[in-house]
Amino acid sequence: MAGRRLSRSGWAAGAGTAGAVMLAALLAACGSSGSYGSGGSGGSGSQGGTGSVTSPAPAGGGARATTVTVRMTEYKLGLSAKTFKAGDYTFVATNDGHTLHSLEIQGQGSDVRLPQGLRPGQSGQVRVVLKDGTYHLFCPVDQHRELGMRTDITVGGAGGTSPVPSSATHSSGGGY
């Protein structure tokens, strides 16, 4: 019986150590550069410069995705495509600005974003399967969305992109 207790105690200690190692690895992977809350100027130290981040591909993705380039500056998004059809898309976001930016896409049940913010000069990719309907693309860093870093796209029909004027107002009730 004493051996069993020792075994359980040893297992619990091992599980605790493994959990701590996993937590440390997750925290290291997140890093401070992934924080959207501090959108100050491009940062300092070795974190600056060019680089790339990628979000995981959507499930069932054997088909080739259509690529759309998104140029981000203070405070606007520039898309390389004007019309969209339903299908698999890769949005390649490039921060051409001077502060931290990111990209989030919401609509038709989808809500995807870059896994971390992009410092000036960095690029990242977001893959999403677009269905017919309207999608909101915006920068989730600080108040960038409210400052004009947003645009709507319409998938299918006769739609296209429609920039949202920075003077537009939105209700605070859970929607866009």
Side-chain angles (χ1 to χ4, degrees), residues 6-27:
L6 181 58
S7 172
R8 284 185 184 169
S9 176
W11 176 84
T17 302
V21 169
M22 287 176 56
L23 178 60
L26 285 172
L27 290 174

Side-chain angles (χ1 to χ4, degrees), residues 61-133:
R64 188 175 269 315
T66 300
T67 301
V68 176
T69 301
V70 182
R71 298 281 182 194
M72 301 182 296
T73 59
E74 289 80 35
Y75 289 94
K76 63 183 177 179
L77 301 176
L79 277 63
S80 64
K82 301 294 181 203
T83 59
F84 297 86
K85 295 179 181 177
D88 190 9
Y89 283 81
T90 300
F91 287 83
V92 180
T94 301
N95 184 349
D96 290 335
H98 301 289
T99 64
L100 184 75
H101 293 304
S102 189
L103 179 66
E104 185 164 348
I105 302 170
Q106 291 180 347
Q108 307 307 311
S110 293
D111 187 357
V112 296
R113 72 163 43 180
L114 288 170
Q116 65 188 47
L118 301 175
R119 295 191 182 280
Q122 287 185 316
S123 296
Q125 298 180 18
V126 175
R127 281 194 69 183
V128 61
V129 176
L130 298 179
K131 303 173 190 171
D132 287 348

Side-chain angles (χ1 to χ4, degrees), residues 32-47:
S32 62
S33 65
S35 172
Y36 291 152
S38 59
S41 64
S44 61
S46 63
Q47 294 285 332

